[in-house]
Amino acid sequence: DQQVKQNSPSLSVQEGRISILNCDYTNSMFDYFLWYKKYPAEGPTFLISISSIKDKNEDGRFTVFLNKSAKHLSLHIVPSQPGDSAVYFCAASARGAGGTSYGKLTFGQGTILTVHP
Amino acid sequence: DAGITQSPRHKVTETGTPVTLRCHQTENHRYMYWYRQDPGHGLRLIHYSYGVKDTDKGEVSDGYSVSRSKTEDFLLTLESATSSQTSVYFCAITIGGGYEQYFGPGTRLTVT
């Protein structure tokens, strides 16, 4: 059962345009969401996150939107740059009944973003 | 840079042999995690640790065991490697009580 899904395996955009990466989840216990970026032969790097008490979080060119009723989040990159070309993973965490989930994350399958000059 | 190293970075081994991967951190973080990354599956949690000698299973723990005898090292062992365990393995830590995990550079394991 895939609790976090990224239904678009790949996305191609032109430099300077907006990139929108989407992610859906099914577990209503998830209360924190994160986006990671991964270059080939490197570990994933943390990009931006959002708590379930918010619906938007912005950091420079990156904005994450959360729609709890639809169990959907998206990452917007504006303007897109060739250096943004990478695999993007969304991830989710649930605190659990005791107030801790030991920080476990559930990841989506990833979306390959290609930004063309 | 969260000060995480993984060794070896690449390994080729034969089916049926035992393999141990090492994750080392230098900053005494309590929580450590092992993931595997496979095409079409993203990253999946194998095992995690919440302290010395405190470990638990993740989503895909069958065929794997872990040990954490000191804070800085988290070892992942494949008791008898199979071709289905060919993957890229990542170690991660969290800092303080945060949700964000920080990853090591990965180990590419090929089981022939």
Side-chain angles (χ1 to χ4, degrees):
Chain A
D1 177 28
Q2 189 86 27
Q3 297 186 65
V4 178
K5 293 183 181 180
Q6 294 175 255
N7 292 315
S8 297
S10 63
L11 175 67
S12 181
V13 301
Q14 207 66 32
E15 181 178 7
R17 305 295 293 269
I18 184 171
S19 296
I20 300 176
L21 297 103
N22 294 302
C23 181
D24 297 296
Y25 63 96
T26 57
N27 188 343
S28 57
M29 298 302 292
F30 288 144
D31 59 1
Y32 201 82
F33 304 88
L34 308 91
W35 284 94
Y36 282 82
K37 175 178 177 179
K38 185 184 179 305
Y39 292 120
E42 296 183 9
T45 56
F46 170 70
L47 197 54
I48 192 169
S49 60
I50 187 167
S51 164
S52 61
I53 63 173
K54 296 185 176 181
D55 54 19
K56 177 182 176 182
N57 187 29
E58 190 172 354
D59 184 1
R61 296 187 297 115
F62 302 92
T63 303
V64 56
F65 295 92
L66 175 62
N67 182 334
K68 288 187 294 294
S69 61
K71 292 189 173 68
H72 177 83
L73 65 155
S74 60
L75 174 68
H76 292 210
I77 306 174
V78 183
S80 302
Q81 300 173 354
D84 296 329
S85 297
V87 180
Y88 288 79
F89 293 100
C90 67
S93 181
R95 275 290 189 193
T100 180
S101 63
Y102 300 107
K104 292 182 290 182
L105 296 180
T106 301
F107 284 82
Q109 307 98 308
T111 297
I112 301 169
L113 173 65
T114 304
V115 181
H116 299 283
Chain B
D1 183 2
I4 306 168
T5 57
Q6 293 186 232
S7 58
R9 294 294 313 278
H10 301 271
K11 185 170 182 67
V12 179
T13 192
E14 293 184 349
T15 298
T17 59
V19 177
T20 295
L21 308 183
R22 180 184 185 230
C23 177
H24 179 77
Q25 54 129 332
T26 58
E27 299 179 10
N28 292 320
H29 299 299
R30 179 182 175 190
Y31 296 95
M32 299 183 75
Y33 311 84
W34 276 108
Y35 291 87
R36 59 178 290 174
Q37 185 202 355
D38 305 288
H41 291 278
L43 287 93
R44 292 180 291 174
L45 182 65
I46 305 171
H47 281 278
Y48 63 98
S49 170
Y50 45 96
V52 173
K53 298 193 191 311
D54 291 323
T55 65
D56 206 347
K57 296 178 180 180
E59 178 188 355
V60 290
S61 59
D62 287 349
Y64 302 95
S65 63
V66 289
S67 66
R68 193 166 178 203
S69 59
K70 46 186 178 177
T71 302
E72 58 264 37
D73 288 325
F74 192 29
L75 304 180
L76 177 71
T77 297
L78 292 66
E79 302 290 349
S80 177
T82 67
S83 58
S84 65
Q85 294 175 312
T86 291
S87 187
V88 182
Y89 291 86
F90 291 102
C91 174
I93 57 99
T94 54
I95 298 175
Y99 284 97
E100 294 83 9
Q101 291 185 13
Y102 297 88
F103 287 80
T107 294
R108 180 173 293 277
L109 177 67
T110 302
V111 183
T112 61

